[in-house]
Amino acid sequence: MENFNRLNDLYFKKLLGDKKRKNLTLSFLNGILNKDDENCFTDITFLDKDNEPLTLDGKLSKLDIRADLNDGTQVDIEVQVCPFKLMAERSLYYWSKMYSEQLEKGAEYKRLKKAIAINLLAFDYLEDEQDWHNIYNLLNVKSHNKLTDHIEIHFLELPKFTLKDMRKIRASEAWIAYFSGKYSKEELEEIAMTTPAIKEAVEFEDTFLQNKIERRAYEQREKAIRDYYSYMSAFKEEGLQQGIQQGLYQQAIQTAKNMLKDKVDIKLISKYTNLSIEEINKIKVE
């Protein structure tokens, strides 16, 4: 399917949020978190939060995959398609909930495990950063020493991603290339030669699109996103036009005031400002 959106929330959750394909999720996480064969995550347990977005509000293009990894590490994968200015604050909020929910009342702090938030964004967010992958920890502002490794927040900005060398591709780059939609099926097949999980993802994609029910649900979600952008564009344009009209009106009033001070004839003021005689007389009285 041409222009298939792999960040569509319904598709993404079926691809990486299903225990039947947890090997793909582990491949994605181990790649993004730069794990090698010796320290990679080997198992994952999904926590079904049942929070499918149903409306065009802030939940529209946000996907929440929560999971426990085999060493107790908590991970939260968020997908955001529509631009959102407060991604940092929201990510920190969800990270804090994920971290605090580990402990039951009266439990000891030593039971807390590392919590990782991964934000996969379809838009540019970090204006001062050039890299597509940026990682944030809790550091001393002077020495840059890390206070704890329990907090780790990742931002993956797809528009900034460019594959430099397909022959030396890393697993993280292979997955971002797949989700970016910038590369053809032929190029993805070449990428799959070094990252077999991508081949499996492409095969699942074909199966997904052949399912009429799944495809229909996908198309409805895409329509909702298109409608959202159309509404926002219309509101923005309407607001801009209102602002322009308001600005011109205020400028005309100020011009009329200046002309009145210079004792210009009211009819002439009306001609050059497009204000009515009644409006100009009101300004004169005031």
Side-chain angles (χ1 to χ4, degrees), residues 4 8 10-11 14 18 20-21 204-205 207-221:
F4 179 63
N8 177 284
L10 297 177
Y11 174 74
K14 288 184 179 298
D18 192 322
K20 291 183 291 186
R21 282 173 292 280
F204 173 75
E205 179 182 318
T207 302
F208 176 88
L209 291 174
Q210 290 170 11
N211 186 309
K212 292 182 179 180
I213 297 176
E214 300 282 21
R215 181 161 179 161
R216 174 62 177 164
Y218 162 85
E219 290 172 346
Q220 287 179 328
R221 177 62 74 214

Side-chain angles (χ1 to χ4, degrees), residues 53-272:
L54 299 176
T55 63
L56 283 173
D57 59 15
K59 281 282 189 180
L60 171 63
S61 302
K62 171 185 169 298
L63 174 67
D64 187 12
I65 291 182
R66 278 283 307 277
D68 293 337
L69 295 166
N70 55 282
D71 67 348
T73 297
Q74 307 283 297
V75 66
D76 182 23
I77 306 174
E78 308 284 348
V79 171
Q80 181 67 27
V81 175
C82 299
F84 187 66
K85 292 183 178 180
L86 300 177
M87 276 303 304
E89 289 80 0
R90 188 171 75 181
S91 183
L92 187 60
Y93 173 75
Y94 284 121
W95 175 91
S96 66
K97 286 178 64 66
M98 176 171 55
Y99 190 66
S100 62
E101 287 173 359
Q102 295 182 53
L103 291 188
E104 298 177 356
K105 187 176 181 180
E108 297 180 352
Y109 293 119
K110 65 181 181 180
R111 293 182 55 188
L112 288 168
K113 299 293 185 179
K114 184 174 185 175
I116 302 173
I118 298 175
N119 300 283
L120 187 56
L121 310 180
F123 56 93
D124 287 335
Y125 175 64
L126 302 169
E127 296 180 357
D128 297 328
E129 303 293 350
Q130 300 300 317
D131 292 339
W132 63 269
H133 186 184
N134 292 282
I135 309 169
Y136 294 87
N137 299 120
L138 198 58
L139 306 175
N140 183 309
V141 296
K142 292 183 179 180
S143 66
H144 292 176
N145 290 329
K146 190 182 297 185
L147 178 65
T148 173
D149 67 351
H150 276 208
I151 179 171
E152 191 170 298
I153 299 179
H154 296 247
F155 288 96
L156 315 176
E157 299 169 276
L158 294 185
K160 293 180 180 177
F161 175 77
T162 301
L163 192 56
K164 296 179 180 179
D165 189 344
M166 200 170 292
R167 295 167 300 179
K168 299 179 181 180
I169 190 170
R170 295 177 298 168
S172 60
E173 294 173 323
W175 276 109
I176 298 303
Y178 174 75
F179 286 120
S180 71
K182 297 179 180 180
Y183 302 92
S184 66
K185 278 288 184 71
E186 291 74 19
E187 289 172 317
L188 289 178
E189 288 175 1
E190 187 176 345
I191 292 172
M193 294 177 65
T194 58
T195 311
I198 300 300
K199 180 181 180 181
E200 188 175 340
V202 172
E203 291 174 349
F204 173 75
E205 179 182 318
D206 292 336
T207 302
F208 176 88
L209 291 174
Q210 290 170 11
N211 186 309
K212 292 182 179 180
I213 297 176
E214 300 282 21
R215 181 161 179 161
R216 174 62 177 164
Y218 162 85
E219 290 172 346
Q220 287 179 328
R221 177 62 74 214
E222 289 299 289
K223 180 179 183 301
I225 295 174
R226 287 194 300 271
D227 289 346
Y228 171 82
Y229 276 118
S230 296
Y231 295 149
M232 293 301 293
S233 179
F235 292 151
K236 183 178 180 180
E237 183 175 346
E238 182 179 346
L240 180 62
Q241 290 298 323
Q242 290 177 349
I244 291 174
Q245 292 300 322
Q246 183 66 21
L248 291 174
Y249 181 68
Q250 293 299 326
Q251 184 178 0
I253 290 176
Q254 187 60 50
T255 301
K257 288 180 178 180
N258 294 336
M259 295 177 78
L260 284 170
K261 289 179 181 179
D262 292 338
K263 302 187 183 304
V264 178
D265 183 74
I266 289 179
K267 291 183 179 180
L268 194 59
I269 296 175
S270 177
K271 177 182 177 180
Y272 285 107

